[in-house]
Amino acid sequence: MLRAGLDEVLGGRRIEEFPRRFGAVATDVVGRTAVLLDHGSATDAVCATIAVPAIFPMMRLDGRVLVDGALTSPLPVWAARRLGADTMLAIRLRPESSQRSQPLRARVVAPIPDDGPADLELLIDTRDYSGWSARDVAALIDVGRRAAEKSLDQILDLLTPAARPGLASAGCHALPAAESQRHAAVAAGSSR
């Protein structure tokens, strides 16, 4: 059912057909590494990056068994850079995991690729909401909107001066076409 819904939304397109560079980060459970899916079926890539065993099935793709990208790369700045983005706005959906869980991650997965920090990182504290229940969707959207509005001046400062005049001062806006070609979208799975 999930796959059919994604196919409908994505129109069965291949990643290469998207108007902007796109990649999804998944975790290869055998190799214990982050994987950037930047070509092929968009539905397969999204299914791989959101695969949470016992909730959404693991994805077998190109000889690998893939699950949620957040396991190995919760903030995949490296992937966006590899896709060609030169301006990086990263959204972290909650504070870093407690220190007691960090050693476990270090033992379970290979080191996360590192191409440097994002130009701006927004922390959106979602601890009071469930990422697993539709009940909190509206509240989570509102929390994200308020965090973006609070940081709007910093966000706009990331854009080149030529791009700024075409943007309004609030709400969601697409970058002008010329500017958007230098930005890449990356999905890293869910950040828990």
Side-chain angles (χ1 to χ4, degrees):
M1 187 146 110
L2 173 66
R3 184 173 187 78
L6 285 170
D7 265 338
E8 184 177 328
V9 169
L10 297 170
R13 289 187 293 172
R14 297 180 59 79
I15 293 171
E16 301 89 332
E17 297 170 8
F18 286 176
R20 290 189 186 92
R21 296 282 316 268
F22 173 82
V25 175
T27 298
D28 177 344
V29 297
V30 175
R32 300 180 318 174
T33 58
V35 176
L36 176 59
L37 304 171
D38 61 352
H39 62 280
S41 164
T43 298
D44 286 350
V46 172
C47 284
T49 197
I50 66 169
V52 177
I55 298 173
F56 297 123
M58 292 184 279
M59 181 74 193
R60 293 185 186 280
L61 188 62
D62 297 331
R64 296 181 289 211
V65 179
L66 303 173
V67 296
D68 190 339
L71 177 62
T72 50
S73 189
L75 199 66
V77 171
W78 65 272
R81 291 212 192 281
R82 292 197 183 148
L83 289 168
D86 60 4
T87 302
M88 205 69 55
L89 168 62
I91 309 296
R92 188 178 302 277
L93 293 182
R94 71 173 49 189
E96 279 296 305
S97 303
S98 67
Q99 287 184 333
R100 62 189 165 100
S101 69
Q102 293 303 326
L104 175 63
R105 176 176 282 178
R107 288 191 313 264
V108 172
V109 299
I112 297 170
D114 184 16
D115 284 346
D119 297 299
L120 176 63
E121 183 177 320
L122 298 183
L123 175 63
I124 301 175
D125 190 350
T126 60
R127 286 179 292 194
D128 295 335
Y129 305 96
S130 171
W132 300 105
S133 170
R135 171 190 83 229
D136 289 339
V137 169
L140 285 165
I141 291 170
D142 186 58
V143 167
R145 180 188 49 75
R146 283 186 277 129
E149 287 174 350
K150 182 178 172 184
S151 302
L152 192 58
D153 286 339
Q154 291 174 291
I155 294 167
L156 291 174
D157 285 344
L158 286 179
L159 302 176
T160 61
R164 289 186 74 168
L167 298 175
S169 61
C172 292
H173 302 279
L175 294 171
E179 184 68 12
S180 69
Q181 298 308 310
R182 293 185 10 227
H183 299 272
V186 175
S190 55
S191 295
R192 281 178 271 301

